[in-house]
Amino acid sequence: MNFDLASQPEIIQRGAAYAVQGWDIAKGWLMSPAAWSQFGLLLAAFLLAWLLTRRLRPAMERLLTPPAGRSSLLATLRRFLLVFVPLLLPLLAFAFTAIGEQATRAVFGTGAVIAFGKRLFLLLAARILVREIVTDGFLKLLGRVILLPVMALYALGLLDVATARLNEMTVSLGNIEFTVMAVIRGVIAGAILFWLGRWSNDQTGSYISKQDQMRPATRQLAAKAAEFTIFAVAFFLLLNIVGIPLTSLAVLSGAIGVGLGFGLQKIASNYISGVILLLEGQATVGDFVELDNGMAGTIVQTTARAMILETYDGRWIVVPNEDFITTRVINYSDQGSTNRYEVPFSVSYDTDINRVPPIIEAAVATHPDVLDDPFPPDCELRGFGDSGVEFAVEFWVAGIDDGRHKYSSDVGFLIWNALRDNGIEIPYPHRVVELRQPAET
């Protein structure tokens, strides 16, 4: 059949040419004894691979499944290999088809049909890989959007044609010119590199966090340095893959420098302040701090720009790192140091005040969290008030008197009970009112 497509768009003419070419190839295969032989070899290779898979797969699954609870290197390797067992059928079919292709080319001098079947088995392997083996959402998306279409083009023998066509198309960006193929290659490589960077960063961070012999601040600094190094290497590898020379980044570097000097100076200041904090270890995750402006909370997360404090009422406060450098910060934790608190009280003027200190000190010492080191509880006379004699008991604890810890409240109860048990009165204000009658006249 001949159709006049001269008046049609170029894309339709090109598609029709490919369709005619495909029809000619298919017709040649259907009428060729060599093609029928290759079809038979393909069917035989698939059946043999299917039979072997039925026998080998259960044995391989038993061999590669480690005992429950094992976490050794060998057990981890066996679990890793077990994941790829579903690829056994297409890979065996591919191997048998490759052997059949060599025999077909030796006998008939051609192997186009069996080569096409071999590529189809590779496409089947890629489909199983994406659907059944890959579990990461990002990699699964890459497989569906990129790997499967590429393998389909390869199976149809159109991959070289598509690659050549994409290499002819160019995209200009200022003085830099790219081919569409370079852009696609850069997107694919960038996605894979930065996924690998994220995975490597997670593994490195997990390893560093387990090094208990390192100070917390040192672990955080090492994790941040590893993160910066990993993504910097990924970025420069991507530039090399895309083909962008580093000299072309001079203008971009100058623009970034101007931005840092003006609009981004606060961000740069906070980033540098964060590095200083990690180096000096002044404040780290888990410390309870109070800033000069009255904000207080436990540091739950550190970022390149800020530290996040969690207050005891459940709120999160984002504090720029610069504030920890330029303002006064009280660190109540300081990597587990103890803190001193005091509870004031008063007794009646009728009391023998010499009895009060030993009674209160003994009562407060019974609290399980009150420490004897650096100092035991100390009851001091503070003054003589309007209603009673004023005392205060000082005590040391290894924690913060807030949140789930109620040290001052517990000590207050101990003081009340101790004074009551010893018959000591806690005074309250009294007022004497004098009524004068007017003089009689």
Side-chain angles (χ1 to χ4, degrees):
M1 292 183 296
N2 295 321
F3 297 96
D4 185 9
L5 301 176
S7 60
Q8 299 298 322
E10 181 181 358
I11 187 172
I12 295 180
Q13 297 180 31
R14 189 179 296 274
Y18 285 137
V20 171
Q21 183 180 0
W23 169 250
D24 292 338
I25 293 174
K27 185 169 60 175
W29 285 357
L30 292 174
M31 301 180 64
S32 170
W36 282 104
S37 301
Q38 294 176 60
F39 279 125
L41 285 174
L42 278 176
L43 181 60
F46 179 79
L47 290 176
L48 180 59
W50 181 72
L51 291 174
L52 282 177
T53 300
R54 288 191 60 184
R55 292 184 174 272
L56 290 177
R57 181 165 180 170
M60 293 182 65
E61 289 177 345
R62 288 193 301 269
L63 178 64
L64 295 176
T65 302
R70 291 285 182 88
S71 58
S72 62
L73 179 61
L74 179 60
T76 303
L77 180 61
R78 290 169 67 182
R79 290 190 185 94
F80 176 76
L81 295 176
L82 181 64
V83 173
F84 294 94
V85 170
L87 292 176
L88 186 61
L89 174 61
L91 293 183
L92 283 176
F94 176 83
F96 294 147
T97 304
I99 297 173
E101 182 184 8
Q102 297 298 323
T104 302
R105 291 188 184 277
V107 175
F108 297 103
T110 180
V113 176
I114 202 168
F116 172 73
K118 186 173 67 173
R119 295 193 297 268
L120 280 180
F121 290 136
L122 281 183
L123 175 60
L124 176 61
R127 184 173 179 271
I128 293 174
L129 178 68
V130 172
R131 293 190 60 182
E132 301 182 21
I133 297 177
V134 176
T135 57
D136 184 85
F138 180 73
L139 289 182
K140 190 178 287 289
L141 178 63
L142 284 182
R144 291 174 178 171
V145 175
I146 296 174
L147 178 62
L148 291 183
V150 169
M151 293 303 298
L153 289 175
Y154 175 71
L156 295 173
L158 300 176
L159 184 60
D160 292 337
V161 177
T163 302
R165 182 62 177 168
L166 292 174
N167 279 322
E168 295 173 359
M169 302 171 63
T170 60
V171 176
S172 297
L173 183 62
N175 296 327
I176 305 175
E177 188 174 88
F178 306 94
T179 65
V180 175
M181 188 63 198
V183 174
I184 296 175
R185 187 168 59 244
V187 171
I188 297 173
I192 295 175
L193 281 175
F194 281 94
W195 180 86
L196 286 174
R198 187 192 66 180
W199 180 82
S200 301
N201 182 57
D202 292 342
Q203 298 301 314
T204 304
S206 177
Y207 174 78
I208 293 174
S209 64
K210 297 177 182 178
Q211 306 306 307
D212 296 332
Q213 67 275 15
M214 300 171 62
R215 295 173 57 246
T218 305
R219 290 200 298 265
Q220 293 182 49
L221 180 61
K224 293 295 182 183
E227 179 181 5
F228 177 80
T229 302
I230 289 171
F231 284 103
V233 170
F235 176 72
F236 286 113
L237 282 176
L238 178 59
L239 292 181
N240 185 53
I241 292 172
V242 175
I244 300 177
L246 296 180
T247 54
S248 63
L249 298 178
V251 176
L252 179 60
S253 301
I256 293 176
V258 174
L260 290 176
F262 291 97
L264 302 179
Q265 59 180 343
K266 297 294 289 184
I267 296 177
S269 174
N270 286 319
Y271 183 82
I272 296 172
S273 298
V275 174
I276 294 173
L277 288 171
L278 290 175
L279 285 172
E280 296 183 351
Q282 295 177 355
T284 186
V285 174
D287 288 353
F288 185 87
V289 297
E290 181 179 349
L291 303 181
D292 201 23
N293 58 8
M295 291 188 299
T298 302
I299 300 175
V300 294
Q301 185 178 348
T302 61
T303 66
R305 188 188 66 84
M307 287 195 178
I308 300 177
L309 309 183
E310 182 178 10
T311 63
Y312 281 115
D313 56 3
R315 293 183 175 90
W316 278 24
I317 305 173
V318 180
V319 183
N321 289 327
E322 185 182 11
D323 290 356
F324 282 84
I325 299 296
T326 58
T327 61
R328 183 182 63 179
V329 178
I330 302 175
N331 191 334
Y332 289 94
S333 299
D334 192 19
Q335 300 180 5
S337 64
T338 56
N339 297 294
R340 190 191 72 176
Y341 296 96
E342 68 173 45
V343 176
F345 65 96
S346 61
V347 298
S348 171
Y349 276 105
D350 296 331
T351 304
D352 181 5
I353 61 175
N354 296 295
R355 298 174 53 212
V356 173
I359 292 174
I360 298 302
E361 290 170 1
V364 175
T366 61
H367 193 286
D369 293 327
V370 173
L371 306 175
D372 290 331
D373 185 31
F375 299 102
D378 180 26
C379 184
E380 298 178 352
L381 176 64
R382 292 295 173 85
F384 301 95
D386 295 336
S387 302
V389 183
E390 297 175 351
F391 286 88
V393 59
E394 298 176 347
F395 59 95
W396 290 78
V397 291
I400 304 299
D401 184 28
D402 203 347
R404 61 189 179 92
H405 299 303
K406 301 293 189 292
Y407 301 125
S408 296
S409 175
D410 295 342
V411 169
F413 277 103
L414 292 173
I415 293 171
W416 173 274
N417 293 328
L419 294 178
R420 183 192 59 186
D421 293 343
N422 287 273
I424 299 175
E425 179 184 356
I426 296 179
Y428 53 89
H430 291 78
R431 294 291 182 267
V432 177
V433 179
E434 182 179 349
L435 299 177
R436 292 187 179 183
Q437 294 182 354
E440 294 181 359
T441 57

